[in-house]
Amino acid sequence: MAIKDKSILKEFIKQFNMSLKLVQMYTTQHPNSQQGFKRSFAVMQKLFSESGEVTLTNNEGILFINDQPVDKATPFVDKVLEEFAEKDIESVTFTTKTNVEDLGELLSVISKNTYTVTKEGGADSVLRQKHVLTIRVNILKYGVVSDGTQHYLDGMIISNYFSGKISLTRDEENHFIQEITENPEYVATVLSALLEVQEYVAESDRVS
């Protein structure tokens, strides 16, 4: 679902980057870091209220929040993209069950040495080892499959459509039919990722 208030996108990037820097300067448990997590989470809650589930995606050097590109001139966006690229992060999906502690764990993972994260199996693996089930890394890729082909409908639109969050225009429906016909494996991959996120949310509910 589209985020109407664009200022929220810029504020989230700002707070996310500042929180990351605080973790890198201090520790996850330091009071300054904790305050940074709370500020970032407060903005994230605004995103949840507008769009539900939130996904940050690095698409060839452009940061998207859900299906909306963030202006490259936005302060700190280049820093966030740089951190994502260093940790081989193409997307981060926050379910509505995400809490401030989970957000702090993600920021802690991103702030780690790149070699350490890679050695531990990647950012998503590290989060699961910490029992964080509400945030998934690289579960969705923004309309690009492994061969680099750009598709008519990006993964976020397909995912949101089958989640009942959006309806498609006539042109999008026609493109979707074409996508299924020409790229059934791609659509299947997106739907598989969607189901995996939903399973993790359900598992999180059972644990809580």
Side-chain angles (χ1 to χ4, degrees):
M1 186 178 295
I3 298 169
K4 296 179 181 179
D5 187 352
K6 302 300 187 294
S7 66
I8 300 178
L9 303 180
K10 295 181 180 180
E11 183 63 20
F12 179 71
I13 294 302
K14 174 185 175 181
Q15 294 300 336
F16 188 89
N17 180 72
M18 291 182 69
S19 294
L20 185 57
K21 295 307 178 187
L22 286 170
V23 176
Q24 293 169 337
M25 289 174 59
Y26 302 104
T27 64
T28 304
Q29 299 303 319
H30 192 281
N32 288 348
S33 298
Q34 292 292 316
Q35 286 300 315
F37 299 160
K38 291 177 181 178
R39 287 192 293 269
S40 294
F41 186 67
V43 183
M44 181 181 289
Q45 286 182 306
K46 294 180 182 179
L47 290 174
F48 284 149
S49 67
E50 287 220 12
S51 68
E53 188 175 277
V54 174
T55 296
L56 276 64
T57 314
N58 178 4
N59 181 29
E60 299 183 353
I62 299 175
L63 183 67
F64 285 76
I65 296 182
N66 289 358
D67 57 350
Q68 295 175 250
V70 179
D71 189 340
K72 282 189 173 183
T74 300
F76 309 113
V77 69
D78 57 331
K79 299 296 184 183
V80 173
L81 287 169
E82 182 179 319
E83 293 288 351
F84 277 18
E86 286 182 2
K87 304 303 185 300
D88 198 26
I89 295 174
E90 294 187 44
S91 70
V92 178
T93 299
F94 301 93
T95 70
T96 55
K97 298 291 184 180
T98 302
N99 56 38
V100 66
E101 289 79 14
D102 293 341
L103 176 60
E105 292 289 2
L106 171 69
L107 290 163
S108 175
V109 171
I110 296 176
S111 71
K112 285 187 175 185
N113 177 276
T114 302
Y115 174 77
T116 300
V117 174
T118 302
K119 186 177 180 181
E120 293 180 5
D124 193 64
S125 176
V126 176
L127 285 176
R128 281 184 282 175
Q129 291 171 32
K130 293 176 175 290
H131 307 291
V132 176
L133 305 178
T134 64
I135 302 173
R136 298 306 311 275
V137 175
N138 293 344
I139 199 71
L140 286 176
K141 297 184 180 181
Y142 198 87
V144 180
V145 287
S146 57
D147 63 359
T149 303
Q150 190 73 34
H151 293 274
Y152 287 122
L153 288 180
D154 61 80
M156 186 58 59
I157 289 178
I158 293 174
S159 174
N160 285 342
Y161 175 65
F162 278 96
S163 297
K165 296 178 181 177
I166 62 172
S167 58
L168 300 181
T169 66
R170 180 169 297 179
D171 285 343
E172 287 173 334
E173 286 179 348
N174 290 334
H175 284 320
F176 185 47
I177 292 171
Q178 182 175 352
E179 195 75 72
I180 292 175
T181 302
E182 297 180 356
N183 304 290
E185 292 183 359
Y186 167 69
V187 176
T189 298
V190 171
L191 294 180
S192 177
L194 171 63
L195 290 173
E196 188 172 348
V197 169
Q198 291 175 337
E199 288 172 1
Y200 264 75
V201 173
E203 184 176 346
S204 178
D205 287 340
R206 288 194 295 271
V207 171
S208 59

